[in-house]
Amino acid sequence: MHHHRKDSDAATRAQFDELLKTFDFFKHHMAGYPSNQAFDYSPLFPALQYSINNIGDPFHDSNYTANTHEMERQVIYFFAELMRLPHNQRWGYVTNGGTEGNLFGMYVGRETIPNAITYFSEDVHYSIFKIVKLLQLKPVIIKSQPHGEMDYNDLLKRLKEHSKRPALIMANIGTTMKGAVDDVVKIREALHEAKIKQHYIHADCALSGMILPFVEHPQPYGFDNGFDSCAISGHKMIGSPIPCGIALTRKPFINKIAQSIEYVEVLDTTIMGSRNAFTPLMLWYAIQKKGVSGFRDQVAKMLETAEYTVQAFQKHNIKSWRNKNSITCVFPRPHHDITRKWNIASQGNLSHIITVSHVTKEIVDQVIQDILQDKGESIELT
């Protein structure tokens, strides 16, 4: 019996070691998905020996005291500041990622302006179709411009067709495939021109929400430009071993959806009941370590690598481009072996490399080398 335990321990260890090898390969061949692999949260590991839970509203007392609500609030304040959400209106929480943030924002929108028509562009994140079903929304899909931004003429035309109904708008602040940013100022102008008084704008800021606040000439973003709620990812630019995100909205909207739950003495305002208490801790730690200036430097480096990527492709006669303030570098879809090896995301005949921090110029050079070799061209990369 004792031997059996030893054998099974060895087998367990071997299986786990194999898994770690896969992860390690992935870490060094991760070019197409925006999950920054450059982080170290080991100082926080002691917290993993406790059963911690952020159940309930982070701005309300909880009977479950093993929580990180205090750190979560600090994370929310940091992002509220970035998104220019006025102090007296700031509310949010740390989510499981972009989809939950989008579901939350659209849910708040639906409750705030019932009977609305929902508008979003063809380039919207795939989670939106699921959210439309879950919330039983009435969708109208707006055409996109070739580079991925919403077509505002089509938006105006559609708004006019439904001008008697409130408008729930889902704006992309950095589209999944092309990194395009929908202009919320133009969206608001279209709403005004269509004479739609009741409207709500949710912004999917998954990736660009952590870029635009740190560049000199950003496209319009933020609550001062018309956001009513937004979702930002935590595992994309900041980096985290566990997917996470931030949902933000205006406090007055929350009062509509809040329910008091006696069992755990919390206010139920979030999509999930039990919530991860370790992810807010990691985001808090990253913010403490980096601060605004650290993130600004990180964004500048990522954008510089993105520009290098587009130019390196073009230098070798491979058509490549990126949107303004975007780290998403688009190019023609290469052979399946290459997209597989480098974890490159593709859609139709396009692929992209996203230059988050761990994607170095060396990685970009290696990807291009592989593409050229596949085409039978061997050109020395300088």
Side-chain angles (χ1 to χ4, degrees):
M1 195 67 198
H2 190 61
H3 279 303
H4 174 69
R5 167 51 57 86
K6 258 193 176 155
D7 292 349
S8 95
D9 282 355
T12 303
R13 181 76 236 173
Q15 198 174 349
F16 185 60
D17 286 345
E18 200 53 43
L19 187 65
L20 290 180
K21 270 192 210 141
T22 310
F23 291 166
D24 201 60
F25 181 85
F26 182 76
K27 179 176 181 168
H28 296 102
H29 293 81
M30 173 68 161
Y33 293 90
S35 303
N36 181 12
Q37 306 281 317
F39 53 77
D40 175 17
Y41 294 110
S42 51
L44 303 177
F45 290 176
L48 288 172
Q49 60 195 308
Y50 303 104
S51 177
I52 54 178
N53 192 328
N54 275 17
I55 189 165
D57 187 318
F59 295 90
H60 189 273
D61 279 345
S62 167
N63 209 24
Y64 197 97
T65 46
N67 66 54
T68 59
H69 280 167
E70 173 53 42
M71 277 85 171
E72 186 172 13
R73 286 192 291 273
Q74 288 180 40
V75 170
I76 295 309
Y77 294 151
F78 177 81
F79 282 98
E81 201 71 32
L82 289 186
M83 290 292 133
R84 303 190 288 256
L85 179 53
H87 278 213
N88 61 345
Q89 291 198 348
R90 60 190 183 185
W91 192 90
Y93 74 99
V94 173
T95 65
N96 282 312
T99 300
E100 187 188 347
N102 286 335
L103 175 59
F104 173 78
M106 301 296 271
Y107 169 57
V108 173
R110 188 194 72 176
E111 298 303 291
T112 304
I113 50 164
N115 198 31
I117 299 277
T118 303
Y119 302 85
F120 49 82
S121 83
E122 298 167 326
D123 280 59
V124 81
H125 186 255
Y126 64 84
S127 68
I128 300 310
F129 298 99
K130 174 167 50 185
I131 289 166
V132 160
K133 277 187 181 170
L134 284 169
L135 296 176
Q136 298 185 330
L137 302 169
K138 307 272 183 302
V140 169
I141 302 178
I142 307 301
K143 287 186 188 126
S144 292
Q145 299 175 49
H147 61 289
E149 192 178 337
M150 183 181 275
D151 178 332
Y152 307 105
N153 295 329
D154 193 48
L155 174 66
L156 180 59
K157 192 175 117 191
R158 301 285 174 198
L159 287 170
K160 283 181 169 169
E161 284 170 14
H162 303 282
S163 60
K164 299 278 182 286
R165 300 271 291 275
L168 173 52
I169 303 216
M170 165 84 202
N172 293 309
I173 307 299
T175 60
T176 315
M177 200 57 214
K178 299 174 182 171
V181 174
D182 293 340
D183 187 326
V184 277
V185 171
K186 288 183 181 166
I187 288 172
R188 284 169 65 203
E189 283 166 2
L191 286 162
H192 182 73
E193 203 177 321
K195 298 184 173 57
I196 295 178
K197 296 270 190 297
Q198 268 198 308
H199 52 76
Y200 180 104
I201 298 175
H202 170 71
D204 180 355
C205 305
L207 183 58
S208 293
M210 273 304 283
I211 296 176
L212 298 184
F214 304 109
V215 296
E216 267 182 58
H217 304 290
Q219 294 96 316
Y221 74 94
F223 285 80
D224 54 340
N225 275 314
F227 288 7
D228 290 303
S229 58
C230 72
I232 303 169
S233 293
H235 57 282
K236 289 192 175 144
M237 200 199 104
I238 297 173
S240 156
I242 305 169
C244 57
I246 296 90
L248 293 174
T249 189
R250 299 176 190 273
K251 181 85 175 78
F253 296 149
I254 286 303
N255 303 336
K256 277 213 163 71
I257 65 164
Q259 290 188 34
S260 186
I261 308 295
E262 190 196 350
Y263 178 70
V264 272
E265 291 184 18
V266 296
L267 203 58
D268 191 21
T269 46
T270 57
I271 298 275
M272 295 299 158
S274 285
R275 293 190 300 111
N276 194 323
F278 196 67
T279 44
L281 197 54
M282 288 188 289
L283 292 172
W284 167 79
Y285 182 77
I287 290 165
Q288 299 300 318
K289 296 287 273 190
K290 289 203 166 155
V292 169
S293 63
F295 287 130
R296 186 172 288 122
D297 292 346
Q298 185 184 347
V299 166
K301 281 199 189 78
M302 294 189 323
L303 286 165
E304 190 200 326
T305 309
E307 189 49 37
Y308 172 86
T309 304
V310 168
Q311 294 197 10
F313 270 116
Q314 288 173 353
K315 199 166 74 180
H316 295 289
N317 299 319
I318 299 169
K319 195 176 182 301
S320 179
W321 55 274
R322 68 187 180 96
N323 275 299
K324 180 185 167 185
N325 295 323
S326 174
I327 58 169
T328 304
C329 309
V330 183
F331 58 98
R333 185 176 193 152
H335 191 272
H336 177 69
D337 291 348
I338 296 169
T339 57
R340 188 102 185 121
K341 175 181 172 183
W342 292 103
N343 292 285
I344 289 170
S346 309
Q347 201 174 49
N349 55 3
L350 295 179
S351 289
H352 67 210
I353 285 177
I354 300 182
T355 58
V356 280
S357 298
H358 71 277
V359 178
T360 57
K361 292 174 182 175
E362 290 72 33
I363 286 182
V364 171
D365 288 347
Q366 287 174 353
V367 173
I368 293 175
Q369 189 69 62
D370 284 355
I371 292 172
L372 294 175
Q373 275 177 347
D374 184 58
K375 289 176 152 187
E377 301 170 30
S378 179
I379 301 171
E380 281 309 302
L381 285 159
T382 50

